[in-house]
Amino acid sequence: MLKTKRAVERTNKLSSAPGKTGGIPVERVQTGIRIEKRLLKVLKGLAEYHDMTLGDLLEGIVLHAFDGKHPFTDATRRRIADLKRIYKLDLDSSASHRLLEKLDDVRTTRKGKKQK
């Protein structure tokens, strides 16, 4: 199986990082998720800042959350605050179970045909 240059670089970073004994083989799957637009922009910005993929960032956040640990340093939290300001993300954890899908005036079917 061929690896992309970025995947090889990530693998090399993981195995050569101080205190790391090597990577953990996993099987990843491609998924399509729906996520709030500004939240995605902040996540992508944070992943880019740390030179990692969005998937790697999300995996790290979720694994920390599952362990009840905070995934970010104070410096990263300041960076997140900057990105939230840049992308006008005014949501916090209190909004997590109150988000509603914004409906368009004209609905679109799966085939892309507009209906009124």
Side-chain angles (χ1 to χ4, degrees), residues 75-92:
T76 300
R77 288 170 54 174
R78 286 191 294 274
R79 177 64 57 176
I80 291 168
D82 290 342
L83 290 166
K84 285 177 71 172
R85 189 179 63 256
I86 290 166
Y87 293 114
K88 298 177 176 59
L89 177 62
D90 55 357
L91 303 174
D92 61 16

Side-chain angles (χ1 to χ4, degrees), residues 10 24 26-29 43 52-66 71:
R10 281 197 323 262
I24 300 170
V26 295
E27 181 181 352
R28 289 195 167 102
V29 295
L43 287 169
M52 62 189 335
T53 67
L54 178 60
D56 289 342
L57 176 69
L58 291 173
E59 284 174 344
I61 291 169
V62 170
L63 289 172
H64 278 80
F66 285 173

Side-chain angles (χ1 to χ4, degrees), residues 38-53:
R38 297 166 298 163
L39 180 58
L40 179 60
K41 288 181 179 185
V42 170
L43 287 169
K44 283 182 170 182
L46 188 60
E48 180 66 27
Y49 176 74
H50 286 293
D51 192 29
M52 62 189 335
T53 67

